[in-house]
Amino acid sequence: MEFFEQFLNWRTIAEILILWLVIYQIFLFLKGTKAVYLLRGVIILIVSFFVFQGLRLFVLSKLLTYLFAFFLIFVVVVLQPEIREGLIRLGRRHIFFFEPKREEIEKALKEIVSAVSIFSRKRTGALIAIKREIGLKNYMESGAILNADLTSELLQNIFYPGAPLHDGGVIVEGTRVIAASCLFPLSDNPNLGKILGMRHRAGVGFSEHSDAVVAIVSEENGLISLAIGGQLTQDLTPNELFTILKGQLSKST
Amino acid sequence: MKFPKRLRIKKLREIIANNFWLKIISLIVAVVIWLYVNGEIIRGIRV
């Protein structure tokens, strides 16, 4: 009874709720990344620590605390990309930026979807990243800067097999095609199927490293996929693609 | 905008069922961490 009187107050509940929320968000963030395997290691270390404490094996528990300190440094080094991505998401804010009008965005999306449906029909491989808030300058510089009006014809021209810019990805910002033939980082997500090719891995990798939405058309079967935040949605129809893109891009503005 | 009761229940069920085990595990971890840190603080005060 004394325990409940001592601990069951609003402060305790608030502290546990905040802790729960933070831990849940961390777990959610780590889900589906290579960090899951490291997390298992951390949990084993923590459980071992409590077991050693309970059995009063003080030397072993002390050793574990030293090991834990080294492990933390190791985790920071190994998970550097994930930590960077997390901090970027945390620090993402709407401040002052000029956005094209909603109708213009919709028109641009229609151009993209029109091109993608043609690619799907003709089984032409394509990789189109739509920038949201996070800057993509490094990736743009890896390709050819275009800064051209976004039209379905331009995208068809870029991805035409054998065209000089058909390799790599296109980066779209608002109603402009900013760059083509850009190099995207490959995802090392172990949950991605082995049958997925480099184009899909690059699309998912790019969506992991930025907040961009990436549309991918398979060269092998013409299937349309969409990568958002490291998650790949496959086998979309052009209409579904348009609906998701519209929803995602209106969410970010 | 108010949703019909049926939709609200469905939405609530989705919120609970979505990542259910992740929520349970994170709650357990949160309680364990809180108990441990609180124990350490109390021990520190006593010393």
Short mmCIF file of all heavy atoms in Angstrom, two decimals, chain A residues 16-28, chain B residues 26:
data_model
loop_
_atom_site.label_atom_id
_atom_site.label_comp_id
_atom_site.label_asym_id
_atom_site.label_seq_id
_atom_site.Cartn_x
_atom_site.Cartn_y
_atom_site.Cartn_z
N ILE A 16 6.75 8.06 -16.71
CA ILE A 16 6.71 6.77 -17.42
C ILE A 16 6.09 6.94 -18.81
O ILE A 16 6.59 6.36 -19.79
CB ILE A 16 5.95 5.70 -16.59
CG1 ILE A 16 6.80 5.35 -15.37
CG2 ILE A 16 5.69 4.44 -17.41
CD1 ILE A 16 6.16 4.40 -14.40
N LEU A 17 5.06 7.76 -18.91
CA LEU A 17 4.42 7.98 -20.23
C LEU A 17 5.39 8.63 -21.21
O LEU A 17 5.47 8.21 -22.37
CB LEU A 17 3.18 8.86 -20.07
CG LEU A 17 1.90 8.14 -19.63
CD1 LEU A 17 0.75 9.13 -19.49
CD2 LEU A 17 1.52 7.04 -20.61
N ILE A 18 6.15 9.63 -20.73
CA ILE A 18 7.12 10.31 -21.62
C ILE A 18 8.21 9.31 -22.05
O ILE A 18 8.57 9.23 -23.22
CB ILE A 18 7.72 11.55 -20.94
CG1 ILE A 18 6.63 12.62 -20.77
CG2 ILE A 18 8.89 12.13 -21.75
CD1 ILE A 18 6.98 13.77 -19.87
N LEU A 19 8.70 8.54 -21.04
CA LEU A 19 9.72 7.52 -21.35
C LEU A 19 9.20 6.52 -22.38
O LEU A 19 9.89 6.17 -23.34
CB LEU A 19 10.06 6.75 -20.07
CG LEU A 19 11.41 7.03 -19.42
CD1 LEU A 19 11.54 6.22 -18.16
CD2 LEU A 19 12.54 6.70 -20.36
N TRP A 20 7.96 6.09 -22.19
CA TRP A 20 7.32 5.12 -23.09
C TRP A 20 7.27 5.67 -24.51
O TRP A 20 7.66 5.01 -25.48
CB TRP A 20 5.92 4.80 -22.56
CG TRP A 20 5.17 3.76 -23.37
CD1 TRP A 20 5.71 2.84 -24.20
CD2 TRP A 20 3.76 3.55 -23.39
NE1 TRP A 20 4.72 2.06 -24.75
CE2 TRP A 20 3.51 2.47 -24.28
CE3 TRP A 20 2.67 4.16 -22.76
CZ2 TRP A 20 2.23 2.00 -24.53
CZ3 TRP A 20 1.40 3.67 -23.01
CH2 TRP A 20 1.18 2.61 -23.89
N LEU A 21 6.82 6.93 -24.60
CA LEU A 21 6.69 7.58 -25.91
C LEU A 21 8.04 7.66 -26.61
O LEU A 21 8.17 7.32 -27.80
CB LEU A 21 6.11 8.99 -25.72
CG LEU A 21 5.65 9.68 -26.99
CD1 LEU A 21 4.36 9.06 -27.49
CD2 LEU A 21 5.43 11.17 -26.74
N VAL A 22 9.06 8.08 -25.85
CA VAL A 22 10.41 8.23 -26.45
C VAL A 22 10.93 6.86 -26.90
O VAL A 22 11.41 6.71 -28.03
CB VAL A 22 11.39 8.89 -25.44
CG1 VAL A 22 12.82 8.85 -25.95
CG2 VAL A 22 10.96 10.32 -25.16
N ILE A 23 10.81 5.86 -26.02
CA ILE A 23 11.32 4.51 -26.36
C ILE A 23 10.55 3.93 -27.54
O ILE A 23 11.15 3.34 -28.45
CB ILE A 23 11.26 3.58 -25.12
CG1 ILE A 23 12.27 4.08 -24.09
CG2 ILE A 23 11.56 2.14 -25.49
CD1 ILE A 23 12.11 3.48 -22.74
N TYR A 24 9.24 4.13 -27.56
CA TYR A 24 8.42 3.62 -28.67
C TYR A 24 8.84 4.26 -29.99
O TYR A 24 8.98 3.57 -31.01
CB TYR A 24 6.94 3.88 -28.38
CG TYR A 24 6.02 3.45 -29.49
CD1 TYR A 24 5.90 2.11 -29.85
CD2 TYR A 24 5.28 4.38 -30.22
CE1 TYR A 24 5.07 1.71 -30.88
CE2 TYR A 24 4.45 3.99 -31.25
CZ TYR A 24 4.35 2.65 -31.58
OH TYR A 24 3.54 2.26 -32.60
N GLN A 25 9.07 5.58 -29.95
CA GLN A 25 9.49 6.28 -31.17
C GLN A 25 10.85 5.76 -31.64
O GLN A 25 11.08 5.61 -32.85
CB GLN A 25 9.57 7.79 -30.93
CG GLN A 25 8.21 8.47 -30.82
CD GLN A 25 7.35 8.32 -32.06
OE1 GLN A 25 7.84 8.36 -33.17
NE2 GLN A 25 6.06 8.11 -31.86
N ILE A 26 11.76 5.50 -30.68
CA ILE A 26 13.09 4.98 -31.05
C ILE A 26 12.93 3.60 -31.70
O ILE A 26 13.51 3.31 -32.73
CB ILE A 26 14.02 4.92 -29.81
CG1 ILE A 26 14.37 6.34 -29.34
CG2 ILE A 26 15.31 4.15 -30.13
CD1 ILE A 26 15.09 6.41 -28.02
N PHE A 27 12.11 2.74 -31.08
CA PHE A 27 11.87 1.39 -31.62
C PHE A 27 11.27 1.48 -33.03
O PHE A 27 11.67 0.75 -33.93
CB PHE A 27 10.94 0.60 -30.71
CG PHE A 27 11.61 0.04 -29.48
CD1 PHE A 27 10.89 -0.68 -28.55
CD2 PHE A 27 12.96 0.21 -29.26
CE1 PHE A 27 11.49 -1.20 -27.42
CE2 PHE A 27 13.58 -0.30 -28.14
CZ PHE A 27 12.85 -1.01 -27.21
N LEU A 28 10.30 2.39 -33.16
CA LEU A 28 9.62 2.56 -34.46
C LEU A 28 10.62 3.01 -35.53
O LEU A 28 10.58 2.57 -36.67
CB LEU A 28 8.52 3.61 -34.29
CG LEU A 28 7.26 3.47 -35.11
CD1 LEU A 28 6.60 2.12 -34.85
CD2 LEU A 28 6.29 4.58 -34.78
N SER B 26 7.95 -1.59 -25.44
CA SER B 26 8.50 -0.27 -25.06
C SER B 26 7.94 0.18 -23.72
O SER B 26 8.65 0.81 -22.94
CB SER B 26 8.26 0.77 -26.15
OG SER B 26 6.93 0.76 -26.55
#
